[in-house]
Amino acid sequence: MFEPKPYTGKTAFEQWAEYEGAPLIRDFIVPDLRKITLAPWDRLGASGTWLVLGAPEDQLSMAAYVCEIPAGKSLKPQRHLYEELIFILRGSGATTVSSEGGKTFTFEWKTGSLFSPPLNSRHQHFNGSGAEPVRYVSLTNAPAVFNMFHSYEFIMNNPHRFIERFNEEEDYFSGKGQAHTGDVWESNFIPDIVDLPFYEFSTKGPGMKHVEIELSSNTLSGHISESPVGVYKKAHRHGPGANIIVLKGHGYSLMWKEGQKWQRFDWGPMSMMSPPNRWFHQHFNLGREPIRQLALKGWGQKYPIGGWNEMFKSTEEGGDMIEFEDEDPAVRAMYVEELKKEGIELRNPPVSYRKRV
Ligand SMILES: [Fe+2]
């Protein structure tokens, strides 16, 4: 049985990942989740890799993993005391869910489905095709949980039922949802994210739309945002653990630590990136269609964890969002140049700069 060793300089999560043998990729961005090389992962009975995205100095609290289920196969059953949000990148299949001593629920998913096995439920994923593999990406707070308890048995073999989250409601995985204030769609299973409602979100930039997503009464949550052609969003910053998956379109992001020069990251469909802790970040659409990004993140609105309230408040008012009037003029100049190469015009309204940043 795995037991983390003290005084090694390595976190309990890192030691667990090493023990299980799946690779662990640390970077700011991965170019295409569909093409990442995976390795055998015995605990799952399939192949996969951990992805810890962000800056190397970030505290290790969130980690994603990509997993592939071979054609006609299933993963081993599992349960754990960390939350996970699962997005199906390719394929179709089904998942069974049960609580300790309870009945078994089954629901079917496909490419574009988003769901979360309730915390500590026993669950098993099945590939529904005998010909094609299934590939999914999952965001977890496994590092935070492993680092806090550093007890494998407690985390991976715990009979506790979290009935506040899942109490065997018959329609739990029916795919129905409910809208809440704050542009939230709450559900436990979203059969296809393209069917979600979208809300106007011009706070972030002209023509922006979004929807916030709460699943299975987790602390983790998601959102999808859409940016029109020739338009860029305001920069903002927040804590670590937002993992952004590009669903549609291509472009680039600038990310920087306060007082430092930005770094540029180019992306396309199914790239995944994570703005580091408290780094400003700003996304730029270079395509001829709106971009869509799915963010899986470590905080939400149903059960907030605090510390995330300033990200849409202007830096002029002490917040964490840079208004267009306050940004470095080089940001817009660079975008105009890049758009020119694509034969696209800037559609952000003209700006009068209040000062040089
Ligand atoms: Fe952000």
Side-chain angles (χ1 to χ4, degrees), residues 186-262:
E186 182 179 356
S187 180
N188 303 310
F189 168 51
I190 297 171
D192 193 334
I193 56 168
V194 299
D195 296 328
L196 287 174
F198 268 80
Y199 303 91
E200 174 273 332
F201 194 41
S202 54
T203 311
K204 205 63 201 297
M208 302 290 165
K209 294 178 194 170
H210 81 153
V211 58
E212 299 286 324
I213 302 164
E214 295 283 344
L215 289 161
S216 303
S217 294
N218 286 324
T219 304
L220 309 190
S221 79
H223 70 249
I224 303 176
S225 64
E226 185 176 291
S227 308
V229 176
V231 163
Y232 73 103
K233 298 180 189 186
K234 297 170 191 174
H236 78 162
R237 65 179 174 180
H238 43 69
N243 284 259
I244 301 165
I245 301 161
V246 179
L247 300 172
K248 205 170 75 167
H250 72 278
Y252 67 94
S253 297
L254 301 181
M255 301 190 202
W256 69 97
K257 213 177 199 173
E258 186 161 24
Q260 294 186 0
K261 181 67 182 167
W262 65 56

Side-chain angles (χ1 to χ4, degrees), residues 83-115:
E83 296 176 357
E84 65 171 329
L85 305 178
I86 294 175
F87 178 60
I88 306 297
L89 298 165
R90 184 175 63 205
S92 60
T95 293
T96 57
V97 171
S98 62
S99 301
E100 177 79 11
K103 57 188 170 187
T104 300
F105 291 72
T106 304
F107 58 97
E108 294 183 0
W109 38 256
K110 61 181 183 353
T111 307
S113 295
L114 180 67
F115 60 92

Side-chain angles (χ1 to χ4, degrees), residues 30 33 38 45 54 62 69 98 111 135 161 186 259 277 308 318 324 330 340:
V30 289
L33 291 169
L38 309 178
M62 308 282 292
I69 313 171
S98 62
T111 307
R135 186 176 276 225
R161 292 174 68 162
E186 182 179 356
N277 183 34
W308 306 88
F324 293 123
K340 222 181 256 174

Side-chain angles (χ1 to χ4, degrees), residues 43-44 75-79 122-125:
R43 179 175 57 85
L44 299 178
L75 298 191
K76 292 178 185 170
Q78 48 177 312
R79 71 174 167 190
R122 185 173 295 282
H123 53 277
Q124 187 170 15
H125 306 304

